[in-house]
Amino acid sequence: MKTSNKAARTRHSLDQVSELTTNRLSVYLRCLNLLDAAGTRTVSSQALADQFHLNAAQIRKDLAYFGEFGVRGVGYYVRDLTRHLRQILGLDRRLRVAIMGAGNLGLALADYPGFRQEGFAIAALFDNLREKVGQQSRGGVPIHDIHDLRKVARREGISIAVIAVPAESAQHVLDLVVASGIKAVLNFSPGTLEIPPGVKLKSVDLTVSLESLSFYLARGDVDGV
Amino acid sequence: MKTSNKAARTRHSLDQVSELTTNRLSVYLRCLNLLDAAGTRTVSSQALADQFHLNAAQIRKDLAYFGEFGVRGVGYYVRDLTRHLRQILGLDRRLRVAIMGAGNLGLALADYPGFRQEGFAIAALFDNLREKVGQQSRGGVPIHDIHDLRKVARREGISIAVIAVPAESAQHVLDLVVASGIKAVLNFSPGTLEIPPGVKLKSVDLTVSLESLSFYLARGDVDGV
DNA sequence: TTTTGTGAACTAGTTCACAGCT
DNA sequence: AGCTGTGAACTAGTTCACAAAA
């Protein structure tokens, strides 16, 4: 019944892991970083859940999906689990990111400290405006001509692109990104984008987020009602 | 067991509408805007689904949750449905938004055209740095002292706050926002935040988004593998 | 006819509860 | 004793499929 430890290691290698699960792994990693900074050596799923408003069973299930990282009667060793999570999330190497669009948003994202934190390096900005090309962000990220995307992406070892261009050019820019061989894209433009299989697109839709808040306010679920 | 018809009429007024559903309403609204701009007068759920990669049954279910907006044999009148969706989402009035933090990200969000589009007005930025207070964003949004939040929020009729401050001050700023009577918050800072009941918090976690892409790349689900 | 609105069936995700390990 | 890892139970969300309306 019980699979060997070797088998447990590669298990699930073929099933699709839910995005909800992987998102939570990021959250767990952040919690563990806080615990480690506070000098905590070991933590139970229950303690983790209590402290960060999570569900203990869910933490255990999420982790167990990738291996047996816990010790019964003890919990999880913080450092140890951190290392495993970083490895699972692919954060054990430094991923290089390009930002498409050197407008307000693109420039802000290029210098956003949160990105640099967990092993991401913003290596390049791309724009099509003459006057921007050759400049750099305040933090020193160089702005390249978007026509040089393929060349620069290869040279700089870019593996993730962030789309921060206006909605009307988003699809065109995405096509260029895909053509340059980049396989993972974080999109900030609103609307539907076409993406070929084998490329991962994750969208952050600010309009939808704001409208969701508007809906909440409109319902009158607010305050004393 | 069965509830009365009367109850069915005011149906769902008490149940919690899923956030997934309301997010999709935003998406439908955007699609309808595109159709309207293209001169389309009427659209079936199937046509809408085909064009924007949605599921027809889901569109109908989502809409039916709020009323009977369709005409059998015809579909939905684009203008008509647009009006209903805008009303459901509370976009029939102009909501005023404050952005907390006049750093790179805050300033970029203040001038982000996508926010202005669907009836949101960015009315104010707030910061605690002397040299920023009294200035304004490129687009002309004034920067106020965060200590004046309560006063300015009331005067300007702010109903939504966007948190774009560093992680370490996010909780403090959120507490100020809540104390000023604002009931809906869009948060860009990473990490866990405590929020009292009756206030809606929606978080956009850029680190989690990027790490999710990293996970995808790390798995090797890419390309020919 | 066409297409909606919706119960029923199905699928995905979460939480419970406990056997079994340390 | 304490806590993990995990089937079973439950809850939420999606899709099917069809009666009823235009």
Side-chain angles (χ1 to χ4, degrees):
Chain A
M1 209 55 197
K2 199 152 174 256
T3 50
S4 81
N5 283 345
K6 281 278 159 53
R9 187 160 292 277
T10 53
R11 92 180 122 182
H12 305 299
S13 64
L14 291 177
D15 1 353
Q16 183 69 19
V17 184
S18 157
E19 185 118 3
L20 296 169
T21 298
T22 66
N23 287 350
R24 283 193 298 265
L25 296 183
S26 288
V27 172
Y28 302 155
L29 178 56
R30 186 148 61 206
C31 297
L32 290 169
N33 284 338
L34 290 172
L35 289 176
D36 187 42
T40 310
R41 308 300 290 269
T42 186
V43 70
S44 70
S45 59
Q46 191 58 58
L48 201 54
D50 291 346
Q51 191 164 352
F52 299 101
H53 311 299
L54 306 166
N55 178 286
Q58 185 156 73
I59 295 170
R60 295 200 298 275
K61 263 236 157 105
D62 286 339
L63 296 177
Y65 203 78
F66 296 94
E68 305 209 351
F69 304 131
V71 180
R72 287 159 200 243
V74 177
Y76 301 87
Y77 290 103
V78 173
R79 287 275 171 86
D80 199 41
L81 185 53
T82 300
R83 203 164 34 75
H84 277 115
L85 284 179
R86 291 182 54 81
Q87 200 238 306
I88 292 164
L89 289 168
L91 300 171
D92 46 354
R93 60 203 163 145
R94 177 156 284 249
L95 283 177
R96 294 174 70 76
V97 178
I99 295 180
M100 313 303 296
N104 277 327
L105 186 59
L107 288 167
L109 292 173
D111 295 341
Y112 181 65
F115 279 170
R116 300 204 127 69
Q117 215 107 27
E118 267 298 349
F120 296 99
I122 313 292
L125 279 152
F126 289 90
D127 210 298
N128 60 350
L129 290 178
R130 287 259 175 212
E131 63 266 33
K132 290 191 174 172
V133 173
Q135 307 293 113
Q136 54 181 46
S137 76
R138 288 190 208 183
V141 179
I143 304 176
H144 299 275
D145 191 308
I146 195 164
H147 293 114
D148 298 331
L149 174 60
R150 184 191 291 260
K151 187 179 66 191
V152 177
R154 186 159 316 182
R155 187 183 72 211
E156 294 285 338
I158 305 288
S159 51
I160 297 179
V162 175
I163 298 203
V165 301
E168 55 272 20
S169 36
Q171 182 66 60
H172 175 61
V173 168
L174 176 57
D175 293 345
L176 292 176
V177 164
V178 169
S180 81
I182 292 169
K183 301 292 184 199
V185 181
L186 179 58
N187 169 50
F188 284 89
S189 86
T192 320
L193 292 177
E194 304 281 343
I195 193 113
V199 181
K200 173 86 168 178
L201 176 69
K202 183 129 182 171
S203 285
V204 172
D205 195 320
L206 302 180
T207 307
V208 169
S209 300
L210 262 201
E211 290 185 2
S212 153
L213 292 173
S214 175
F215 173 82
Y216 171 81
L217 293 172
R219 292 218 85 191
D221 303 339
V222 173
D223 217 7
V225 182
Chain B
M1 215 54 203
K2 202 157 172 247
T3 50
S4 81
N5 283 344
K6 281 278 157 52
R9 184 158 295 279
T10 53
R11 81 183 136 180
H12 307 300
S13 64
L14 291 177
D15 6 353
Q16 183 68 19
V17 183
S18 155
E19 184 119 1
L20 295 169
T21 298
T22 67
N23 287 350
R24 283 192 298 263
L25 295 183
S26 288
V27 172
Y28 303 156
L29 178 56
R30 185 148 61 205
C31 296
L32 290 168
N33 284 337
L34 291 172
L35 289 175
D36 188 43
T40 311
R41 308 300 290 269
T42 187
V43 70
S44 70
S45 58
Q46 190 57 60
L48 202 54
D50 290 346
Q51 192 165 351
F52 299 100
H53 310 299
L54 307 165
N55 178 285
Q58 184 155 72
I59 294 171
R60 295 199 299 275
K61 264 237 157 100
D62 286 340
L63 296 177
Y65 203 78
F66 296 94
E68 304 207 352
F69 304 132
V71 180
R72 288 160 199 245
V74 177
Y76 301 87
Y77 290 103
V78 173
R79 287 274 172 88
D80 200 41
L81 185 54
T82 300
R83 201 164 35 74
H84 277 115
L85 284 179
R86 290 181 56 82
Q87 200 238 304
I88 293 164
L89 289 169
L91 301 171
D92 46 354
R93 61 204 162 143
R94 176 156 284 250
L95 284 176
R96 294 174 70 74
V97 179
I99 295 179
M100 313 303 297
N104 277 329
L105 186 59
L107 289 167
L109 292 173
D111 295 341
Y112 181 66
F115 279 171
R116 301 203 126 70
Q117 215 108 25
E118 268 297 350
F120 296 99
I122 313 293
L125 278 153
F126 289 89
D127 209 299
N128 61 350
L129 290 178
R130 287 260 175 213
E131 63 266 32
K132 290 190 175 174
V133 174
Q135 306 293 113
Q136 53 180 47
S137 76
R138 289 190 207 182
V141 179
I143 304 176
H144 298 276
D145 191 309
I146 196 162
H147 293 113
D148 299 331
L149 175 61
R150 185 190 290 261
K151 188 178 67 188
V152 176
R154 188 159 313 183
R155 188 183 73 210
E156 294 284 338
I158 305 287
S159 51
I160 297 179
V162 175
I163 299 203
V165 302
E168 55 272 20
S169 35
Q171 182 66 59
H172 176 62
V173 168
L174 177 58
D175 293 344
L176 293 176
V177 164
V178 169
S180 80
I182 292 169
K183 301 292 185 200
V185 180
L186 179 59
N187 169 50
F188 283 89
S189 86
T192 319
L193 292 177
E194 303 281 341
I195 192 110
V199 180
K200 172 86 168 177
L201 176 70
K202 183 130 182 170
S203 285
V204 172
D205 195 320
L206 301 180
T207 307
V208 169
S209 300
L210 263 201
E211 290 184 3
S212 153
L213 292 173
S214 175
F215 173 81
Y216 171 81
L217 293 172
R219 290 218 89 189
D221 303 338
V222 171
D223 216 8
V225 182

